[in-house]
Amino acid sequence: MNVNVNVNDYLAVASIIFCIGALGVLIRKNLITIFLSLELMFNAANLGFVAVSEYLNLISGDIFVIFIMVVAAAEAAILLGIAIAFYREKGAISMDKANELKF
Amino acid sequence: MLDLAQIYNGYYFEKSLLSIMPEAVLIVFAFLILLAGLFNSPSKNSLNSYYLALIGIAFSFLYLFMLSDHTIKGFYGSIIFDKFDVFLFTAILLSGFLTILMSKNYFDTRSVLMPEYYSLVLFSVSAMMLLVASLNLIMIFLSIEFMSICAYILTGYLKGESRSTEAAMKYFVLGTFASAFLLFGAVFIYAATGHLSLYKIHNFIFKQNYKVHYAYNLHTFLAIGLILLLVGLAFKMSLFPFHAWTPDSYDGAPTPVTNLMATGIKIAAFGVFIRVFTSIYHFDVFNFYNILWILAILTMTFGNFAALLQTDLKRLIAYSSIAQAGYILIGVIAGGYYGISGTLFYLLAYVFMTAGAFAIIIMFENLNLTSVDIKSYSGLGYKYPLAGAAFSFFLLSLAGIPVTSGFMGKFFVFSAAIKSGYYWLVFIALLNSAFAAYYYIKIIVKMYMIDDEQPNIPNNYNNMAAAPTNGTGARASANGETGLVKEKAVPSALLIAVIICLIFTLILGIFPQPFISFASKSVTSLWSI
């Protein structure tokens, strides 16, 4: 076990992953890629929780992680349903096609 | 009445189970609806599930009143049932009740006969209640997700209508984005304090208990965490920079679902925000009051200006609901006993006026089935005098004209803010509400002003005017075979919803005393008030 890795470093990595995910959501057009970016954001939070709860010798963070994973799975199911409905109506799952509702 | 003390102390019932009884009843009924769906034809089911949903809401109310004197903590302190819950549960259940009343006619007219719709509504209402009751970041996250997932499905419920699907997609992406922010905020709060329970975080900040056995700067971590958490919650409350999903999903969703989102979800989001605010942000460690101050002003001003430009009625109400969120936020900022109880009163008033407006929009929408364009409302006030008058009343209430509940709500919130010394905030809010009156009254003017262009209402619907006019109301007789409401009759369920909203908007505007005392009683159960 590498004791030199500080909890700060874990949180820094988690923050970087979170920012990559957030950028992905904002920049990408494909619905599936957007969802992958959202998963990245969720998993950044998972990494943070696991690191902190290991560091503080607590268990509540680990419990939270399990709940997050379950919720992420549920959301995947919903997103795929919405993506299929969207594809049937517009013929693509690109955000560019989502242009009916405007300001 | 049951002797609850016996149950409370007995070993038959877990305290935990008792603490979520009103929510649990709704979940049981939601599953019952799904089960009942196995045995009948879809059209019959649609009717059965409608009644089952209403019974579920009624039972939930019953449990709420039976438990209303108690304070019960359950599930290791992550869920609480207290006076604060009683008030907000009442508002949320009323919002669910009115939504169900509106839904039947809306979906019958469009021949969408899906019984699981009502179970989804019940699930999401129970999730809103759980959200208000949660005292733990895990529970807050779970109930926000539970509520949102139901809302995503409901938003995209009109199959084959591309606007509805698009709205669901946008809502999903932005809603999940917000949840990720909330989660990441929770990580930093957890890192700084080592706790996930609001109560323990509260104590931690209260004692300024920054122990030095951490390797990092706790103060910074706490600040980052609180800001990210605020962003996550602000998305759900649709405050200004985070409002982008609101108009799109309100516009694309079926109108009853829009009503549920505008009333129920907003109440739940503000409920949990008040809980989090009074326990964590209250100490003003990082000048959060200034941030909220700016957010409130931006939200009001932006909402009102954007609403001014709308030609679609549902979008207009969506932007106006953003502006209303700004007013409600003022109450939270004012804080204290008066501020929070004013906020709660405003939320209750908001349910009735918004639900009433949406019920009438559905009534008009069913007449010509597609358009919610403001243009198509020209002359409606003369064609349907009573419905037009009711709609005008709700709009005036939203604008905050005296004798309506909207006025009393604004009065309580603004006077609390003045008591706390936020003069400029109140001044800007007053300017805003004067400004907002313009676009509400614009609709009323449109309704009572017949243009040269012929209003595009089919002639054969003209005799619908008779029903709202004579008031006795041609009752909707639900046809048992098809589940379709007879055409050319104002559906009784919709009429009931409108009448309930009218009565309460009036009562809250004229005799607010019992309601404000109910609200202030419920505030006492919050910490650090």
Side-chain angles (χ1 to χ4, degrees):
Chain A
M1 188 179 151
N2 190 353
V3 285
N4 291 326
V5 180
N6 197 341
V7 67
N8 274 350
D9 303 334
Y10 281 108
L11 283 173
V13 172
S15 303
I16 291 167
I17 295 176
F18 185 82
C19 292
I20 293 172
L23 266 182
V25 173
L26 296 174
I27 291 171
R28 290 303 180 135
K29 298 282 182 201
N30 187 304
L31 197 50
I32 303 294
T33 322
I34 288 174
F35 185 65
L36 287 181
S37 308
L38 286 171
E39 286 291 305
L40 216 53
M41 293 167 83
F42 273 59
N43 283 325
N46 281 348
L47 179 60
F49 271 122
V50 171
V52 173
S53 99
E54 181 68 27
Y55 180 72
L56 298 177
N57 270 328
L58 295 170
I59 202 166
S60 45
D62 296 332
I63 295 169
F64 206 152
V65 168
I66 291 168
F67 280 116
I68 295 170
M69 290 196 293
V70 172
V71 166
E75 279 189 333
I78 300 295
L79 176 101
L80 291 177
I82 293 174
I84 288 171
F86 194 72
Y87 183 81
R88 279 192 182 151
E89 273 148 26
K90 314 257 179 166
I93 47 170
S94 163
M95 279 307 242
D96 289 334
K97 296 273 180 184
N99 50 11
E100 268 185 70
L101 300 163
K102 278 181 199 150
F103 184 77
Chain B
M1 206 129 145
L2 271 172
D3 187 10
L4 276 166
Q6 214 171 16
I7 296 171
Y8 187 71
N9 296 323
Y11 52 86
Y12 301 107
F13 281 78
E14 290 284 335
K15 250 162 95 176
S16 299
L17 191 60
L18 209 56
S19 73
I20 58 159
M21 214 50 203
E23 295 99 319
V25 169
L26 285 184
I27 290 176
V28 166
F29 270 87
F31 278 119
L32 267 183
I33 289 169
L34 289 179
L35 274 180
L38 289 172
F39 300 113
N40 280 316
S41 65
S43 55
K44 220 168 199 174
N45 269 329
S46 189
L47 203 65
N48 285 347
S49 53
Y50 168 71
Y51 289 124
L52 269 177
L54 287 180
I55 295 168
I57 297 267
F59 267 100
S60 188
F61 261 124
L62 188 69
Y63 272 106
L64 189 60
F65 286 125
M66 288 203 303
L67 293 173
S68 60
D69 293 333
H70 299 259
T71 299
I72 312 161
K73 266 192 186 183
F75 299 99
Y76 304 98
S78 55
I79 285 187
I80 192 169
F81 182 89
D82 58 9
K83 289 275 193 305
F84 183 69
D85 284 350
V86 173
F87 190 91
L88 284 177
F89 281 13
T90 312
I92 290 170
L93 280 172
L94 279 168
S95 148
F97 172 66
L98 293 169
T99 305
I100 290 169
L101 281 185
M102 289 175 211
S103 309
K104 182 172 181 304
N105 181 245
Y106 184 87
F107 287 108
D108 283 350
T109 324
R110 282 157 187 73
S111 312
V112 181
L113 299 169
M114 294 204 208
E116 71 271 16
Y117 169 82
Y118 296 105
S119 83
L120 280 170
V121 171
L122 287 194
F123 274 131
S124 85
V125 168
S126 68
M128 290 165 204
M129 291 158 74
L130 280 173
L131 180 55
V132 172
S134 44
L135 281 188
N136 189 309
L137 290 176
I138 297 181
M139 262 321 289
I140 289 176
F141 170 71
L142 279 180
S143 4
I144 278 191
E145 283 301 310
F146 185 14
M147 176 180 88
S148 304
I149 283 177
C150 294
Y152 304 147
I153 304 171
L154 287 172
T155 307
Y157 211 78
L158 290 178
K159 244 161 101 186
E161 203 162 294
S162 53
R163 289 164 67 85
S164 180
T165 313
E166 185 183 323
M169 201 256 280
K170 284 179 173 169
Y171 190 16
F172 177 89
V173 171
L174 287 175
T176 316
F177 195 57
S179 305
F181 273 93
L182 188 128
L183 266 186
F184 213 58
V187 171
F188 278 99
I189 291 175
Y190 185 54
T193 63
H195 299 298
L196 289 171
S197 142
L198 290 185
Y199 183 63
K200 285 178 180 161
I201 297 171
H202 164 90
N203 278 346
F204 183 92
I205 302 176
F206 184 60
K207 289 176 193 154
Q208 296 283 322
N209 191 8
Y210 303 109
K211 289 214 178 100
V212 205
H213 70 269
Y214 299 93
Y216 37 71
N217 188 346
L218 287 181
H219 215 256
T220 319
F221 272 25
L222 194 59
I224 296 173
L226 291 180
I227 286 174
L228 288 174
L229 190 70
L230 181 66
V231 170
L233 291 173
F235 258 104
K236 298 291 167 201
M237 293 184 288
S238 63
L239 300 183
F240 164 58
F242 318 108
H243 67 281
W245 61 273
T246 317
D248 285 347
S249 55
Y250 280 25
D251 188 8
T255 315
V257 177
T258 311
N259 174 53
L260 189 68
M261 288 199 286
T263 56
I265 291 186
K266 189 150 279 184
I267 293 169
F270 267 100
V272 73
F273 181 66
I274 291 170
R275 263 212 204 285
V276 174
F277 186 82
T278 51
S279 54
I280 302 181
Y281 293 98
H282 179 73
F283 301 107
D284 203 16
V285 194
F286 309 104
N287 287 326
F288 268 105
Y289 279 85
N290 288 344
I291 297 176
L292 288 174
W293 208 96
I294 294 164
L295 273 184
I297 289 175
L298 287 176
T299 307
M300 287 184 293
T301 317
F302 173 81
N304 282 329
F305 270 96
L308 199 62
L309 305 170
Q310 301 306 316
T311 53
D312 181 310
L313 199 58
K314 269 162 92 179
R315 276 186 105 71
L316 189 145
I317 302 261
Y319 278 110
S320 97
S321 90
I322 293 175
Q324 302 277 346
Y327 302 140
I328 299 170
L329 192 60
I330 292 176
V332 185
I333 296 169
Y337 187 75
Y338 293 106
I340 305 290
S341 57
T343 310
L344 294 184
F345 181 87
Y346 200 123
L347 285 171
L348 187 64
Y350 181 71
V351 173
F352 291 115
M353 53 199 188
T354 312
F358 275 119
I360 303 240
I361 288 175
I362 290 173
M363 208 180 259
F364 285 152
E365 215 179 339
N366 284 346
L367 294 181
N368 60 358
L369 276 181
T370 46
S371 172
V372 282
D373 199 308
I374 294 177
K375 262 186 202 149
S376 65
Y377 276 66
S378 63
L380 276 183
Y382 289 118
K383 277 198 152 90
Y384 313 108
L386 279 188
F391 196 40
S392 315
F393 185 67
F394 292 131
L395 289 175
L396 288 176
S397 177
L398 282 167
I401 308 290
V403 197
T404 59
S405 61
F407 172 76
M408 286 323 285
K410 280 206 179 84
F411 173 76
F412 286 128
V413 167
F414 292 169
S415 61
I418 284 182
K419 253 176 218 154
S420 313
Y422 292 96
Y423 300 110
W424 277 104
L425 189 58
V426 173
F427 179 67
I428 295 169
L430 283 175
L431 278 185
N432 255 299
S433 39
F435 183 67
Y438 170 72
Y439 60 80
Y440 291 121
I441 289 171
K442 195 177 77 179
I443 303 171
I444 300 173
V445 168
K446 199 89 188 165
M447 279 200 304
Y448 288 99
M449 175 192 75
I450 297 179
D451 281 341
D452 290 331
E453 51 178 322
Q454 200 59 30
N456 51 358
I457 293 140
N459 260 339
N460 55 335
Y461 283 109
N462 270 356
N463 44 0
M464 274 191 86
T469 318
N470 62 24
T472 53
R475 293 198 53 233
S477 49
N479 189 334
E481 284 305 301
T482 58
L484 287 174
V485 170
K486 248 191 217 165
E487 276 186 350
K488 294 171 189 174
V490 166
S492 57
L494 214 49
L495 211 58
I496 292 170
V498 172
I499 289 169
I500 290 174
C501 292
L502 265 179
I503 290 172
F504 275 96
T505 307
L506 255 181
I507 290 179
L508 284 169
I510 300 171
F511 307 111
Q513 197 49 47
F515 299 94
I516 192 76
S517 65
F518 181 22
S520 31
K521 241 185 274 164
S522 70
V523 166
T524 50
S525 67
L526 290 168
W527 312 303
S528 61
I529 279 290

